[in-house]
Amino acid sequence: MTRRWELDALRGLMLVLMTLTHLPTRLSSPLGQPFGFVSAAEGFVLLSAYMAGMVYARMARKKGIDAMRGAFWRRALKVYACHAATLFFLFTVIAAVGLRIDQPAVKDLMSFYLAHPATALLTGLMLIYTPPLLDILPMYILFMLVSPWVLAHALRHGWFWIVAGSVLAWGLAQLGLGLWVYQATVAVTGLSVPFQETGSFATFSWQLLWVLGLWMGAGRSAEGARPLAFARWVTVLAVLVALVGFIWRHHGEGGQAAFGGNVGLNLLFDKWLLGPLRLLDLLALVAVVIHFGPWLKARVRRVRWLETLGAASLPVFCAHLMIVLLVLAIWGANPYAHAWWTDAALLLGCFASLYGVARVSLRLDRPQRLMDGPCGPMFPAAAAVLKGAGVSPPLAAQVPVPAPGASPGKGQAQTATAGSPPH
């Protein structure tokens, strides 16, 4: 079982772009949405769903729906623990530093907590109150909790009604579905968390990305699955749309705001609602990557440090949040308040730290990977070590190991997978 290194590299790239966007440096604006009116968050969610679809659909086919459901829930619990840790870090360390320095950036970011600490802590742990920067993981957890039923239904009955329902929910979200659900919840429960404090991301819109990612990933894990391909006219149209989005983003008068100060038209590209033109730009970029990806993979030199970041994406994501919060608490949110060499030193230190976190995380996670993976043809030495320690690898891993120099038979062909779901 080998990892899909190109997917790890893409996730690593998304993490780098998110870090550059969130850190208050001179690079945050020019490198925000670098490929068009699409941010790293969309890529991160879509890639995570794609890999989850590959890994858990394969698990469901081999071990059954119950095993797949349990794996999803264990993963959601791990992500929840990471979210709770970052939440406590914000409420303790960042609150103490920000208030001591009297930092407006921090006081604005956690204003609801400062006004209602007990309510904020309780509802934060319930994934209701989600401060800025800490609102991706709660959405991710919700998607992970729902995914077992979605994937089980799709594997049994197909994807048509699931995708159709997801598109319908996205369309209703553009008309205010999220606010209506919030108001109905307040009327029933008396919830005291303001709507703007429940997270920037419109969950009913962003679920579409998750469903599309699950669908594509599950399809790739099926026996005899063929690579995704599009008609020539679709590819040409996708390239044109992606080019228009790229040029418009970098040479248009509005910069990251497609229509400048026109709030109404900018909703068509709205990030939080995943507006229709933004979704079109994203789908065009996805089609371009799918079409030209194999060609690039065969010709572009691998960037190992990006792969390392992507392979440990969950701890790296949490570490990047902690670094960004510390910088905001100490330096503030003004990207031009410091000299350029300060920005350079900050970025160098930040990415060195994130790489260190990734290396340590992968090293600590390696024994579990060896136990979960096929400690046979791919890891004969590891299998021997585990056996010597009195630990038996999984039954699926106990397959004959070819003699040195011998070529494996048809029954011993190695299977390439995505490895574990997003870390």
Side-chain angles (χ1 to χ4, degrees), residues 77-99 106 109-110 113-114 117-127 129-135 137-138 318 321-322 325-326 329:
L77 181 61
K78 183 176 182 180
V79 179
Y80 178 82
C82 291
H83 170 66
T86 56
L87 202 64
F88 279 116
F89 181 75
L90 173 65
F91 291 164
T92 55
V93 176
I94 300 303
V97 174
L99 291 178
V106 170
L109 185 143
M110 53 193 308
Y113 170 75
L114 295 177
T119 301
L121 177 59
L122 178 61
T123 55
L125 293 175
M126 294 172 64
L127 308 181
Y129 166 54
T130 56
L133 297 178
L134 274 68
D135 47 3
L137 290 185
C318 294
L321 285 180
M322 293 181 176
L325 290 172
L326 276 173

Side-chain angles (χ1 to χ4, degrees), residues 147-196:
S147 291
W149 285 276
V150 172
L151 200 53
H153 183 277
L155 292 175
R156 289 168 176 158
H157 308 290
W159 285 93
F160 177 81
W161 290 112
I162 291 175
V163 174
S166 180
V167 173
L168 176 62
W170 171 84
L172 292 175
Q174 307 303 305
L175 302 176
L177 175 62
L179 179 59
W180 181 85
V181 171
Y182 168 81
Q183 292 171 340
T185 303
V186 170
V188 173
T189 65
L191 180 69
S192 59
V193 180
F195 181 65
Q196 65 270 18

